[in-house]
Amino acid sequence: MNTESDDTGLGSRAPEFIKASRPLHLGWRVGVFAVGLAVVAGGILLLPLPGPGWLVIFGGMALWGTEFVWAQRVLRWAKRRVTEAARKAADPKARRRNTAIAAVTVVIIGVLVGLYVWQFGAVLPWGIGR
C-alpha cells in the first residue's frame, strides 16, 4: 500500500543526456513547468465553460508529474481518491440510493415542466417558429 512517505519511482523522467548537464536540465524543468502551467491555466478557464476542464487540469498535472515530485505526489493522492470513490459508487446499496435519487429528481423535473406548459403553454422563446 502506498503511503505519503513512499517515494519509490518519484523524480525526474528527463532523458539521461539532459540530466547530465545541469543548465540543460534546469532549462528542461523550466520548459516543463511553463507548458504544464499553460495547460492547467487552460483547464481552469474551461471549468465554467462546457468542456473537459478537470481533465485538462489533470493533464497539466501529469505534465508536471514527469519532472516534479510534488506533482507526482498530488497525482498519487488523486488516484487513490478516485479509486476509493469508484469503489464506493459500485457498492449495491449506494447504487440503489443514487438510482432512487435520480428517479425522484426526474419525476420532480417532469412535474415542474408539465406545470409550466399547463400554465403558460408550449410557446417557443424568442419568436422561434413564427
Side-chain angles (χ1 to χ4, degrees):
M1 181 170 173
N2 289 341
T3 62
E4 290 298 322
S5 62
D6 183 15
D7 288 344
T8 56
L10 297 181
S12 177
R13 290 184 176 80
E16 290 303 319
F17 75 92
I18 290 177
K19 289 182 189 177
S21 169
R22 182 159 170 78
L24 191 58
H25 193 223
L26 181 62
W28 176 269
R29 289 174 63 98
V30 168
V32 167
F33 183 80
V35 171
L37 183 63
V39 172
V40 168
I44 290 171
L45 290 175
L46 284 175
L47 284 177
L49 301 173
W54 284 109
L55 185 64
V56 173
I57 289 171
F58 282 114
M61 289 296 296
L63 282 172
W64 281 337
T66 64
E67 200 57 37
F68 302 105
V69 173
W70 61 267
Q72 293 167 1
R73 287 185 180 142
V74 168
L75 288 170
R76 282 185 178 182
W77 176 84
K79 184 178 179 182
R80 280 194 307 271
R81 296 291 182 224
V82 166
T83 303
E84 181 181 323
R87 183 185 53 76
K88 286 181 180 178
D91 179 34
K93 205 180 339 180
R95 289 180 68 196
R96 281 191 300 271
R97 182 196 66 220
N98 292 344
T99 302
I101 290 171
V104 168
T105 302
V106 166
V107 168
I108 290 172
I109 290 173
V111 167
L112 291 174
V113 168
L115 286 172
Y116 179 85
V117 169
W118 178 65
Q119 183 70 30
F120 300 106
V123 177
L124 295 174
W126 305 292
I128 297 174
R130 286 187 186 173

